[in-house]
Structure formats: structure tokens, C-alpha cells
């Protein structure tokens, strides 16, 4: 089979001035994409601003013969999101691929967490995905083509001590992706989400060194490049990726149980007496919409007829 190429494609990678995003940008460019390297150049906690982060990556790409421009806007504002996509349009005429990657952390247990810790995390990760995706989507819909990748976290999917703000924001991206998948299905726009673990300044203090050595950021990018390619026709999926391990993860619904016939009362004791069936994950299914979940009580509708 032919190699995956991005000739003629325009990619935007947010937070591409460091860490995982930098490698996404470089590898997309190596395979022919023209790339907008967006980065506000903040510290890991979101403080300060520095243009050199994005500039350095653009230079790296140009030095190896690739095509890239820098953008220094914050993903946290609507204007920032508009400007990021506008720089793709102004420089390269369009946008085909969007990798929502920019991120910061402000870790504290919930009782010590300030409103500012909460708001800033939500605004970079969750609002920051909205602000950039919205203007990109307009263009992708018009051209009937697009590949969008969101970056969630195992902290959201499975939990991590001290990251309530971050986990809440990252889980918000899953809801955003599920709805966007439904809203874009007829436009050949494929939205997917990755949950990476990689050595970067964000994790160097959090993960023990032997494990950190395994978590090469270079192992995240191949999945992103596949999801960003024309060959990928899957959407609405979430993937774990770290240390060369790749797997799908999903929100699932167990077969559960129906109590009663939809007419009588249901008591807390009925819940207690059926707890085993309610709380076990038997025959889990991935549902593609809330409408699909109503199927579980369709036997009651048949009784009604
Ligand atoms: P990093 O700190 O190395 O890079 C993040 C980049 O985003 C920085 O260059 C920063 O300046 C930029 N950025 C931050 N706020 C921005 C804003 N408002 N506008 C534009 N750019 C902004 O972090 P890393 O590890 O590369 O993380 C990349 C993404 O992957 C983040 O979304 C992070 O939450 C996520 N992630 C990383 C994990 C890991 O193990 N490294 C684990 C799970 C998720």
C-alpha cells in the first residue's frame, strides 16, 4: 500500500510549539502538508507568552524543506480561534486538518482549587477546542472534507488525583466530539479523539523516569497522522496511545434491566433488589446517539401497543 501523504492538504496544529504538538506539526509537514504552527508560548501552567516556541518549530520545518507558518494566538478566545484558522486561509487558502492539542495544567485537589485554576483550564482545553473548531468546520463543510482530532486524557477517562479541572475539561471534549460526529457525518468530516501519555514538560514531574523513557512523544504522532489522513473513514472514536500501545476506549452501556412495565411505581428497594443487574457491565454496547439509548426500553412500547 502507498505511504500516507498530505500533499495539497493544509493542517492546523494548536500548541505545536512544544511537546507532542511539535512532533505532529513536523511529521505532517514531512509528509507534504502545509502547516500552521500555533502556539501562545506559555509555561506549563499557562503563564506568560513567547513567540519563539512557534517560530522555532516553523524554522525546523522550513530547514528540512517543509512549508509552515507560525501563529501566536491563544485558543482561549473566539478571536484567537478565528485568527488561527484565518492564518491557514491567508497563507494556504484553506484548512483540511485540525489537531486540537494546546494545553496547560493547574493541578490541585478540589478543596484547594481556585476559580481561576478552574476557569483557565476549561478555557484552554474545552473552550479552546470550540473556538478553533468552529471556524475550521465552516470551511470543511463547504469543501465536504475535514479531519479533526481532539486531545483528551486518561485523567478524564479513568481519573487522576489532583486533576479535577483538567479531567472535567478533557471529558467535555468527548461530549463535543460525539455531537460533532453526528453533525458532520454527511460532510466527510471525521472527528476523533486521542488520549496520549508522553514525556513532555507537562509530565516530566508527574511520571516516574523509567516509565517516562518509554513514553516517547514520537509514538503519539503516527496515530494522529493516520486519523488525519484521507484513508481514515472512522469517526467518533477515542483512542489510548502511549509507549507503542494503541487501543480504542469508549463510553458504553450495559444490557442492564427494565424494572416494571412503564406504568407502575419504582421504589428504591426495587433498585436495591436489582443492583447486581444495574451495576454490572454485561454485554456492553457503544451507542451512537442518545436516540439509540432509548432502544433499551422499546420492549415497553411494544407492550403499550
Ligand atoms: P506541552 O506543555 O509540552 O505543550 C503544550 C503547548 O500548548 C505549549 O507549547 C503551550 O505553549 C501551548 N499552549 C498552551 N496554552 C495555549 C493557548 N491558550 N493557545 C495556544 N497554545 C497554547 O504539553 P504536551 O504534553 O505536549 O501536551 C499536548 C496535549 O496533550 C495537551 O492538550 C495535553 O493536555 C495533552 N495530554 C498530554 C499528556 C502527556 O502525557 N504529555 C497526557 C494526556 C493529555
Amino acid at each position: 500500500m502507498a505511504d500516507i501523504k498530505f500533499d495539497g492538504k493544509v493542517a492546523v496544529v494548536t500548541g505545536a510549539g512544544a511537546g507532542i504538538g511539535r512532533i505532529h506539526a513536523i511529521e505532517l509537514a514531512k509528509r507534504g502538508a502545509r502547516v500552521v504552527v500555533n502556539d501562545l508560548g506559555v509555561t506549563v501552567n499557562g503563564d506568560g507568552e513567547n513567540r519563539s516556541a512557534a517560530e522555532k518549530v516553523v524554522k525546523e520545518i522550513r530547514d528540512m524543506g517543509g512549508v509552515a507558518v507560525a501563529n501566536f494566538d491563544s485558543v482561549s478566545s473566539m478571536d484567537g480561534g478565528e485568527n488561527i484558522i484565518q492564518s491557514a486561509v491567508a497563507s494556504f487558502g484553506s484548512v483540511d486538518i485540525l489537531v486540537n492539542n494546546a494545553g496547560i495544567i493547574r493541578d490541585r485537589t478540589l478543596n484547594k482549587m481556585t476559580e481561576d485554576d478552574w476557569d483557565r483550564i476549561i478555557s484552554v482545553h474545552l473552550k479552546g477546542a470550540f473556538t478553533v473548531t468552529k471556524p475550521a468546520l465552516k470551511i470543511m463543510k463547504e469543501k465536504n472534507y475535514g479531519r479533526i482530532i481532539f486531545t483528551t486524557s486518561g485523567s478524564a477517562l479513568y481519573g487522576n488525583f489532583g486533576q479535577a479541572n483538567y479531567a472535567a475539561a478533557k471529558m467535555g471534549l468527548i461530549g463535543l466530539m460525539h455531537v460533532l460526529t453526528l453533525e458532520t457525518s454527511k460532510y466527510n468530516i471525521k472527528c476523533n479523539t486521542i488520549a496520549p501519555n508522553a514525556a513532555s514538560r507537562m509530565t516530566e514531574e508527574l511520571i516516574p523516569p523509567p516509565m517516562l523513557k518509554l513514553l516517547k512523544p514520537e509514538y503519539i504522532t503516527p496515530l494522529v497522522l493516520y486519523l488525519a489522513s484521507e484513508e481514515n473513514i472512522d469517526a467518533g472514536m477515542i483512542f489510548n496511545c502511549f509507549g507503542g500501545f494503541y487501543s480504542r476506549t469508549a463510553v458504553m452501556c450495559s444490557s442492564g434491566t427494565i424494572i416494571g412495565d412503564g406504568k407502575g411505581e419504582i421504589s428504591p428497594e426495587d433498585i436495591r433488589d436489582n443492583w447486581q443487574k444495574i451495576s454490572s457491565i454485561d454485554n456492553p454496547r457503544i451507542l451512537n446517539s442518545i436516540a439509540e439509548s432509548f432502544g433499551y426500553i422499546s420492549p415497553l412500547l411494544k407492550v403499550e401497543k
Side-chain angles (χ1 to χ4, degrees):
M1 279 176 111
D3 287 351
I4 290 175
K5 299 289 282 178
F6 296 99
D7 295 324
K9 297 282 192 276
V10 178
V12 172
V13 184
T14 67
I20 304 172
R22 172 182 158 269
I23 298 168
H24 296 338
I26 290 171
E27 294 302 320
L28 281 162
K30 272 191 195 163
R31 287 171 184 261
R34 289 165 290 163
V35 182
V36 175
V37 175
N38 156 263
D39 207 293
L40 185 60
V42 292
T43 65
V44 75
N45 294 321
D47 297 326
E49 283 182 27
N50 189 343
R51 291 186 162 220
S52 72
E55 278 169 350
K56 269 193 205 154
V57 176
V58 168
K59 182 170 183 317
E60 267 185 273
I61 291 174
R62 288 184 181 160
D63 285 350
M64 60 180 209
V67 181
V69 293
N71 168 279
F72 313 106
D73 280 284
S74 172
V75 297
S76 293
S77 73
M78 293 310 286
D79 282 352
E82 278 287 348
N83 287 343
I84 293 166
I85 296 307
Q86 194 42 45
S87 75
V89 173
S91 305
F92 307 130
S94 192
V95 61
D96 304 281
I97 296 161
L98 168 61
V99 187
N100 286 297
N101 167 82
I104 59 169
I105 47 172
R106 296 179 81 83
D107 293 357
R108 293 194 218 301
T109 51
L110 195 76
N111 62 336
K112 292 189 188 138
M113 192 169 286
T114 64
E115 187 179 358
D116 190 46
D117 292 331
W118 180 268
D119 287 345
R120 287 177 70 177
I121 289 292
I122 301 290
S123 95
V124 174
H125 292 279
L126 186 52
K127 186 177 173 191
F130 167 66
T131 65
V132 192
T133 301
K134 189 177 177 205
L137 199 60
K138 187 167 180 284
I139 296 166
M140 290 174 177
K141 269 182 159 178
E142 279 163 13
K143 67 198 290 184
N144 209 46
Y145 184 83
R147 297 288 180 268
I148 300 174
I149 292 115
F150 297 100
T151 309
T152 187
S153 167
S155 299
L157 299 169
Y158 317 115
N160 198 21
F161 192 93
Q163 292 197 313
N165 50 357
Y166 181 76
K170 289 298 203 188
M171 207 59 191
L173 295 174
I174 303 297
L176 171 58
M177 177 196 68
H178 282 146
V179 172
L180 209 53
T181 298
L182 294 173
E183 292 179 0
T184 58
S185 63
K186 63 174 192 229
Y187 298 102
N188 190 20
I189 298 170
K190 308 293 180 192
C191 305
N192 287 284
T193 302
I194 63 156
N197 284 301
S200 73
R201 64 181 193 163
M202 190 180 272
T203 49
E204 65 193 1
E205 312 265 295
L206 306 176
I207 299 176
M211 179 61 82
L212 217 48
K213 258 179 103 175
L214 291 176
L215 302 180
K216 299 185 187 23
E218 288 80 3
Y219 289 165
I220 311 303
T221 298
L223 174 62
V224 165
L225 263 59
Y226 174 71
L227 293 173
S229 72
E230 268 183 43
E231 282 180 50
N232 168 44
I233 51 163
D234 284 316
M237 296 187 180
I238 311 162
F239 299 95
N240 298 298
C241 52
F242 50 90
F245 170 71
Y246 305 91
S247 82
R248 185 171 174 197
T249 190
V251 178
M252 292 192 282
C253 188
S254 74
S255 53
T257 189
I258 298 173
I259 301 174
D261 58 4
K263 291 181 190 141
E265 289 181 8
I266 297 173
S267 68
E269 291 76 18
D270 291 326
I271 302 295
R272 178 196 62 201
D273 297 344
N274 284 280
W275 192 243
Q276 193 53 37
K277 286 185 203 152
I278 295 170
S279 64
S280 71
I281 294 280
D282 284 339
N283 302 319
R285 270 181 54 206
I286 296 169
L287 304 173
N288 292 309
S289 68
I290 189 172
E292 232 177 86
S293 74
F294 293 146
Y296 282 96
I297 55 166
S298 59
L300 297 178
L301 288 176
K302 286 189 190 121
V303 171
E304 191 70 19
K305 280 179 205 163

